[in-house]
Amino acid sequence: DAKTTQPTSMDCAEGRAANLPCNHSTISGNEYVYWYRQIHSQGPQYIIHGLKNNETNEMASLIITEDRKSSTLILPHATLRDTAVYYCIVRAGGGNKLTFGTGTQLKVEL
Amino acid sequence: NAGVTQTPKFQVLKTGQSMTLQCAQDMNHEYMSWYRQDPGMGLRLIHYSVGAGITDQGEVPNGYNVSRSTTEDFPLRLLSAAPSQTSVYFCASSSSSGSGFYEQFFGPGTRLTVL
């Protein structure tokens, strides 16, 4: 699986968009980008995934660059409840056997 | 649906003791797995199962045993606990073990301390 690089921590004001970057410069053509988050030591929660195209669901948007070497997770209107560690994971095939790095600690403040 | 449940929530063991961490899911998922998370670290895969009767090792399997006799349950056994096994253990399940996408659902975790 391709290695990912994320900033250790980020801050965001409540109500603003939170943009979380992820670099995956060695990604292969068959590898998906997955995002999970972990709120205060709870079990991780799936957010979104994508292969080439940008994706949007009720939680977030995922923007993948054309060369697929980086991506950005966007939480359009961050709330205090979005404070969590966000993991960017690159994996071929299905979404099992995930490799979690240390992620980005997002802190949403008033 | 209760989703993925884990028991106990907390456990303290002495070095050399054995115990079983329980994991159950009521979503009829084929795939189940165990991860451990050490302080300040990401999750690491211990063992996984693609269906009843089938298990395999993950990244850090030493010191742990698993079995999968039913679709619903996937217990993790610590044979002889060591302080290095102090960690938070998460169980996860998903609906398939094939090549398509499937969301993993995680349990709330078991916090284990080995003295």
Side-chain angles (χ1 to χ4, degrees), chain B residues 13-111:
Chain B
L13 292 178
K14 294 181 179 178
T15 297
Q17 288 185 314
S18 63
M19 80 158 294
T20 299
L21 280 62
Q22 301 292 345
C23 174
Q25 51 89 11
D26 61 359
M27 297 173 281
N28 201 32
H29 284 171
E30 295 177 4
Y31 183 91
M32 296 185 74
S33 57
W34 278 100
Y35 291 85
R36 62 176 285 175
Q37 184 173 33
D38 300 327
M41 305 279 288
L43 282 72
R44 292 184 292 170
L45 183 64
I46 304 171
H47 284 286
Y48 65 97
S49 169
V50 299
I54 306 169
T55 64
D56 206 347
Q57 297 180 351
E59 180 187 354
V60 288
N62 292 341
Y64 307 96
N65 272 0
V66 292
S67 60
R68 183 99 178 268
S69 56
T70 67
T71 300
E72 295 78 19
D73 301 299
F74 190 44
L76 178 72
R77 281 182 284 277
L78 279 69
L79 307 173
S80 177
S84 60
Q85 294 178 303
T86 294
S87 191
V88 181
Y89 291 84
F90 291 101
C91 180
S93 74
S94 68
S95 61
S96 178
S97 56
S99 59
F101 167 75
Y102 20 83
E103 174 184 348
Q104 282 210 60
F105 294 84
F106 285 81
T110 293
R111 282 145 187 82

